[in-house]
Amino acid sequence: MDEKIELDAAKRLAAETAVDQYVTEDTKVLGIGSGSTIVFVVQRLAERVWKEGTLSELICVPSSFQARQLILDHNLTLGDLDRNYKIDVYIDGADEVDSSMVLIKGGGGCLMQEKIVASCAKTVVIVADYTKRSLRLGEQWCKGIPIEVAPLAYVPVKHKIEELFGGEAQLRIALKKAGPIVTDNGNFLLDWRFVAKREYDWNEVNTAITLIPGVLETGLFVNMANKCYFGMANGTLKVQSK
Protein backbone atom coordinates (compact mmCIF):
# COMPACT_ATOMS: atom_id res chain seq x y z
CA MET A 1 0.00 0.00 0.00
CA ASP A 2 1.21 3.51 -0.81
CA GLU A 3 2.59 5.13 2.36
CA LYS A 4 0.37 8.23 2.11
CA ILE A 5 -2.75 6.10 1.60
CA GLU A 6 -1.70 3.95 4.56
CA LEU A 7 -1.17 7.01 6.77
CA ASP A 8 -4.46 8.56 5.67
CA ALA A 9 -6.28 5.31 6.48
CA ALA A 10 -4.68 5.30 9.94
CA LYS A 11 -5.63 8.92 10.53
CA ARG A 12 -9.18 8.32 9.37
CA LEU A 13 -9.59 5.31 11.68
CA ALA A 14 -8.39 7.28 14.71
CA ALA A 15 -10.48 10.33 13.83
CA GLU A 16 -13.73 8.48 13.16
CA THR A 17 -13.40 6.34 16.27
CA ALA A 18 -12.85 9.38 18.48
CA VAL A 19 -15.82 11.20 17.00
CA ASP A 20 -18.13 8.21 17.36
CA GLN A 21 -17.07 7.46 20.93
CA TYR A 22 -16.80 10.98 22.34
CA VAL A 23 -19.29 13.10 20.40
CA THR A 24 -22.83 12.21 21.49
CA GLU A 25 -26.20 13.93 21.60
CA ASP A 26 -25.15 15.23 25.02
CA THR A 27 -22.15 16.99 23.46
CA LYS A 28 -23.23 20.57 22.91
CA VAL A 29 -19.91 22.33 22.31
CA LEU A 30 -16.99 20.65 20.53
CA GLY A 31 -13.53 22.13 20.13
CA ILE A 32 -11.96 21.46 16.75
CA GLY A 33 -8.17 21.16 16.50
CA SER A 34 -5.91 21.68 13.51
CA GLY A 35 -3.86 19.61 11.10
CA SER A 36 -4.25 16.80 8.59
CA THR A 37 -6.05 14.34 10.89
CA ILE A 38 -8.67 16.93 11.82
CA VAL A 39 -9.90 16.91 8.23
CA PHE A 40 -11.20 13.38 8.88
CA VAL A 41 -12.73 14.47 12.21
CA VAL A 42 -14.77 17.18 10.51
CA GLN A 43 -15.75 14.90 7.64
CA ARG A 44 -17.14 12.36 10.10
CA LEU A 45 -18.98 15.07 12.04
CA ALA A 46 -20.57 16.26 8.80
CA GLU A 47 -21.65 12.70 7.95
CA ARG A 48 -23.36 12.36 11.30
CA VAL A 49 -25.07 15.73 11.02
CA TRP A 50 -26.16 15.69 7.36
CA LYS A 51 -26.43 11.98 6.47
CA GLU A 52 -27.41 10.41 9.78
CA GLY A 53 -29.47 13.32 11.11
CA THR A 54 -27.80 13.45 14.53
CA LEU A 55 -25.93 16.12 16.54
CA SER A 56 -28.36 18.83 15.44
CA GLU A 57 -27.47 21.09 18.37
CA LEU A 58 -23.69 20.72 18.11
CA ILE A 59 -21.61 23.91 18.10
CA CYS A 60 -18.01 23.71 16.84
CA VAL A 61 -15.33 26.03 18.21
CA PRO A 62 -12.22 26.30 15.98
CA SER A 63 -8.60 26.52 17.10
CA SER A 64 -7.21 28.03 13.90
CA PHE A 65 -8.06 29.57 10.55
CA GLN A 66 -7.89 26.07 9.03
CA ALA A 67 -10.35 24.66 11.56
CA ARG A 68 -12.74 27.56 11.02
CA GLN A 69 -12.72 27.00 7.27
CA LEU A 70 -13.32 23.26 7.70
CA ILE A 71 -16.33 23.94 9.92
CA LEU A 72 -17.79 26.42 7.43
CA ASP A 73 -17.02 24.25 4.38
CA HIS A 74 -18.97 21.36 5.94
CA ASN A 75 -21.90 23.57 7.00
CA LEU A 76 -21.45 22.85 10.70
CA THR A 77 -22.46 25.39 13.33
CA LEU A 78 -19.57 27.76 14.04
CA GLY A 79 -19.00 28.93 17.60
CA ASP A 80 -16.37 30.99 19.40
CA LEU A 81 -14.91 31.31 22.88
CA ASP A 82 -16.74 34.58 23.51
CA ARG A 83 -20.04 32.71 23.60
CA ASN A 84 -18.94 29.08 24.01
CA TYR A 85 -16.11 29.15 26.53
CA LYS A 86 -17.25 25.94 28.24
CA ILE A 87 -16.34 23.12 25.86
CA ASP A 88 -17.47 19.53 26.39
CA VAL A 89 -14.87 17.78 24.24
CA TYR A 90 -11.83 18.98 22.29
CA ILE A 91 -10.43 16.76 19.51
CA ASP A 92 -7.04 17.50 18.02
CA GLY A 93 -4.00 15.88 16.46
CA ALA A 94 -0.41 15.89 17.68
CA ASP A 95 3.08 15.84 16.23
CA GLU A 96 4.22 13.38 18.90
CA VAL A 97 2.82 11.69 22.01
CA ASP A 98 5.07 10.05 24.60
CA SER A 99 4.31 7.24 27.06
CA SER A 100 3.17 9.77 29.69
CA MET A 101 0.85 11.47 27.16
CA VAL A 102 2.96 14.60 26.96
CA LEU A 103 2.35 16.08 23.52
CA ILE A 104 4.37 18.09 21.06
CA LYS A 105 2.06 20.26 18.98
CA GLY A 106 2.52 23.25 16.73
CA GLY A 107 4.06 21.78 13.60
CA GLY A 108 1.31 23.60 11.73
CA GLY A 109 1.86 26.78 13.71
CA CYS A 110 -1.47 26.84 15.59
CA LEU A 111 -0.21 25.92 19.08
CA MET A 112 -1.37 28.99 21.00
CA GLN A 113 -4.99 28.91 19.86
CA GLU A 114 -5.01 25.11 20.16
CA LYS A 115 -3.87 25.26 23.77
CA ILE A 116 -6.36 28.00 24.64
CA VAL A 117 -9.29 26.04 23.22
CA ALA A 118 -8.06 22.77 24.75
CA SER A 119 -7.79 24.43 28.17
CA CYS A 120 -11.50 25.25 28.03
CA ALA A 121 -12.52 21.61 27.49
CA LYS A 122 -13.66 19.05 30.03
CA THR A 123 -12.11 16.28 27.93
CA VAL A 124 -9.21 16.42 25.46
CA VAL A 125 -8.96 13.62 22.89
CA ILE A 126 -5.98 13.22 20.58
CA VAL A 127 -6.14 11.46 17.20
CA ALA A 128 -3.06 10.50 15.22
CA ASP A 129 -1.43 7.89 13.05
CA TYR A 130 1.16 5.40 14.28
CA THR A 131 4.14 7.64 13.36
CA LYS A 132 3.23 10.02 16.20
CA ARG A 133 3.44 7.42 18.99
CA SER A 134 6.70 7.34 21.00
CA LEU A 135 8.08 6.15 24.31
CA ARG A 136 9.84 9.49 24.75
CA LEU A 137 9.69 12.81 22.94
CA GLY A 138 12.12 13.15 20.08
CA GLU A 139 11.99 9.52 18.90
CA GLN A 140 9.63 10.25 16.02
CA TRP A 141 9.32 14.04 15.79
CA CYS A 142 12.74 15.53 15.05
CA LYS A 143 11.75 19.10 14.15
CA GLY A 144 11.79 20.39 17.72
CA ILE A 145 9.25 21.90 20.10
CA PRO A 146 7.49 24.94 18.59
CA ILE A 147 7.44 28.09 20.70
CA GLU A 148 5.36 31.10 19.75
CA VAL A 149 7.16 34.38 20.48
CA ALA A 150 6.62 38.09 20.05
CA PRO A 151 8.61 39.17 16.96
CA LEU A 152 10.83 41.64 18.83
CA ALA A 153 11.78 38.97 21.40
CA TYR A 154 12.78 36.01 19.24
CA VAL A 155 16.56 36.53 19.55
CA PRO A 156 16.72 36.91 23.37
CA VAL A 157 14.20 34.08 23.80
CA LYS A 158 16.26 31.81 21.54
CA HIS A 159 19.43 32.40 23.57
CA LYS A 160 17.66 32.06 26.93
CA ILE A 161 16.19 28.67 26.01
CA GLU A 162 19.56 27.41 24.79
CA GLU A 163 21.26 28.63 27.99
CA LEU A 164 18.65 26.99 30.22
CA PHE A 165 18.15 23.66 28.47
CA GLY A 166 20.74 23.20 25.73
CA GLY A 167 19.95 22.25 22.18
CA GLU A 168 19.22 24.79 19.48
CA ALA A 169 16.22 27.07 18.88
CA GLN A 170 15.75 28.20 15.29
CA LEU A 171 13.41 30.76 13.78
CA ARG A 172 10.96 28.99 11.48
CA ILE A 173 11.34 30.36 7.96
CA ALA A 174 8.46 30.38 5.47
CA LEU A 175 8.66 28.39 2.25
CA LYS A 176 6.48 30.53 -0.02
CA LYS A 177 7.23 34.00 1.36
CA ALA A 178 10.39 35.85 2.22
CA GLY A 179 11.24 35.80 5.91
CA PRO A 180 9.75 33.94 8.86
CA ILE A 181 6.46 32.13 9.34
CA VAL A 182 3.85 34.42 10.90
CA THR A 183 1.18 32.73 13.04
CA ASP A 184 -2.56 33.41 13.01
CA ASN A 185 -1.83 35.74 15.94
CA GLY A 186 0.89 37.73 14.14
CA ASN A 187 3.81 36.18 16.01
CA PHE A 188 6.98 34.26 15.13
CA LEU A 189 7.82 30.62 15.83
CA LEU A 190 10.99 29.16 17.25
CA ASP A 191 11.57 25.42 16.87
CA TRP A 192 13.65 24.22 19.82
CA ARG A 193 15.58 21.04 19.05
CA PHE A 194 16.30 19.81 22.55
CA VAL A 195 19.18 17.53 23.45
CA ALA A 196 18.41 13.99 22.28
CA LYS A 197 18.18 11.31 24.99
CA ARG A 198 18.58 13.87 27.79
CA GLU A 199 16.08 13.44 30.62
CA TYR A 200 13.79 16.45 30.86
CA ASP A 201 10.98 17.17 33.31
CA TRP A 202 8.61 18.48 30.67
CA ASN A 203 6.32 20.17 33.14
CA GLU A 204 9.24 22.17 34.56
CA VAL A 205 10.58 22.93 31.09
CA ASN A 206 7.18 24.12 29.90
CA THR A 207 6.75 26.37 32.93
CA ALA A 208 10.26 27.83 32.67
CA ILE A 209 9.98 28.63 28.96
CA THR A 210 6.52 30.12 29.37
CA LEU A 211 7.90 32.52 32.00
CA ILE A 212 10.52 33.96 29.62
CA PRO A 213 9.38 37.47 28.61
CA GLY A 214 8.31 37.43 24.98
CA VAL A 215 7.12 33.83 24.96
CA LEU A 216 3.42 33.60 24.18
CA GLU A 217 3.03 29.80 24.34
CA THR A 218 4.88 26.53 23.93
CA GLY A 219 4.03 23.45 21.90
CA LEU A 220 4.38 21.27 24.99
CA PHE A 221 0.97 20.04 26.12
CA VAL A 222 1.54 18.57 29.58
CA ASN A 223 -1.27 16.97 31.62
CA MET A 224 -3.87 18.01 29.08
CA ALA A 225 -4.78 14.92 27.04
CA ASN A 226 -7.25 12.43 28.50
CA LYS A 227 -7.17 9.86 25.71
CA CYS A 228 -5.18 9.24 22.52
CA TYR A 229 -6.27 7.16 19.54
CA PHE A 230 -3.58 5.92 17.16
CA GLY A 231 -4.44 4.36 13.83
CA MET A 232 -1.86 1.64 13.18
CA ALA A 233 -0.25 0.48 9.92
CA ASN A 234 -2.03 -2.90 10.06
CA GLY A 235 -5.49 -1.32 10.29
CA THR A 236 -5.92 -1.73 14.04
CA LEU A 237 -6.34 0.95 16.69
CA LYS A 238 -4.18 1.62 19.74
CA VAL A 239 -5.72 3.54 22.63
CA GLN A 240 -3.72 5.33 25.30
CA SER A 241 -5.39 6.72 28.42
CA LYS A 242 -4.24 9.09 31.09
Side-chain angles (χ1 to χ4, degrees):
M1 183 184 290
D2 180 85
E3 184 179 3
K4 184 182 184 304
I5 296 174
E6 184 180 90
L7 285 173
D8 282 348
K11 292 174 182 179
R12 183 184 295 276
L13 176 61
E16 293 184 349
T17 303
V19 169
D20 288 346
Q21 292 191 1
Y22 273 90
V23 185
T24 70
E25 292 295 338
D26 293 328
T27 308
K28 303 305 180 187
V29 182
L30 177 68
I32 302 293
S34 309
S36 58
T37 310
I38 295 305
V39 173
F40 299 114
V41 168
V42 176
Q43 287 176 354
R44 178 57 186 146
L45 287 170
E47 285 179 359
R48 290 184 59 185
V49 171
W50 299 114
K51 291 185 179 180
E52 299 173 16
T54 62
L55 309 177
S56 59
E57 297 181 8
L58 184 68
I59 296 171
C60 297
V61 176
S63 64
S64 64
F65 178 86
Q66 180 219 15
R68 184 179 187 276
Q69 294 307 114
L70 283 170
I71 292 165
L72 293 175
D73 288 348
H74 289 81
N75 294 313
L76 300 174
T77 302
L78 179 68
D80 57 58
L81 290 181
D82 290 345
R83 294 168 294 179
N84 315 109
Y85 58 89
K86 292 184 178 181
I87 295 173
D88 296 307
V89 180
Y90 176 72
I91 302 179
D92 202 350
D95 297 308
E96 190 169 35
V97 183
D98 76 4
S99 59
S100 299
M101 290 179 65
V102 176
L103 318 176
I104 294 178
K105 290 181 50 54
C110 307
L111 59 151
M112 188 163 89
Q113 291 187 40
E114 288 172 342
K115 193 176 282 189
I116 291 170
V117 178
S119 73
C120 297
K122 297 175 187 174
T123 303
V124 174
V125 180
I126 300 300
V127 291
D129 64 73
Y130 54 91
T131 67
K132 310 301 174 63
R133 184 170 178 252
S134 298
L135 288 176
R136 54 189 295 160
L137 297 184
E139 286 182 352
Q140 300 276 13
W141 180 255
C142 301
K143 297 180 181 180
I145 296 170
I147 299 160
E148 187 159 347
V149 299
L152 68 88
Y154 84 90
V155 172
V157 169
K158 162 187 165 62
H159 289 294
K160 188 66 174 177
I161 291 170
E162 291 171 352
E163 289 168 10
L164 287 173
F165 301 112
E168 182 181 11
Q170 294 182 330
L171 183 65
R172 190 183 299 184
I173 301 299
L175 295 178
K176 295 186 178 181
K177 68 174 280 291
I181 290 284
V182 178
T183 70
D184 288 356
N185 312 299
N187 300 311
F188 289 174
L189 290 171
L190 292 173
D191 290 305
W192 171 47
R193 290 175 172 83
F194 51 89
V195 180
K197 298 184 180 179
R198 175 173 166 180
E199 289 295 331
Y200 288 96
D201 182 323
W202 292 119
N203 189 45
E204 289 184 3
V205 170
N206 182 57
T207 299
I209 293 177
T210 302
L211 289 174
I212 299 172
V215 172
L216 283 307
E217 195 50 85
T218 82
L220 280 169
F221 284 51
V222 184
N223 297 322
M224 295 191 76
N226 300 102
K227 184 159 286 192
C228 297
Y229 291 92
F230 299 97
M232 305 305 289
N234 62 2
T236 62
L237 193 72
K238 292 282 186 183
V239 183
Q240 190 172 339
S241 299
K242 191 173 180 180

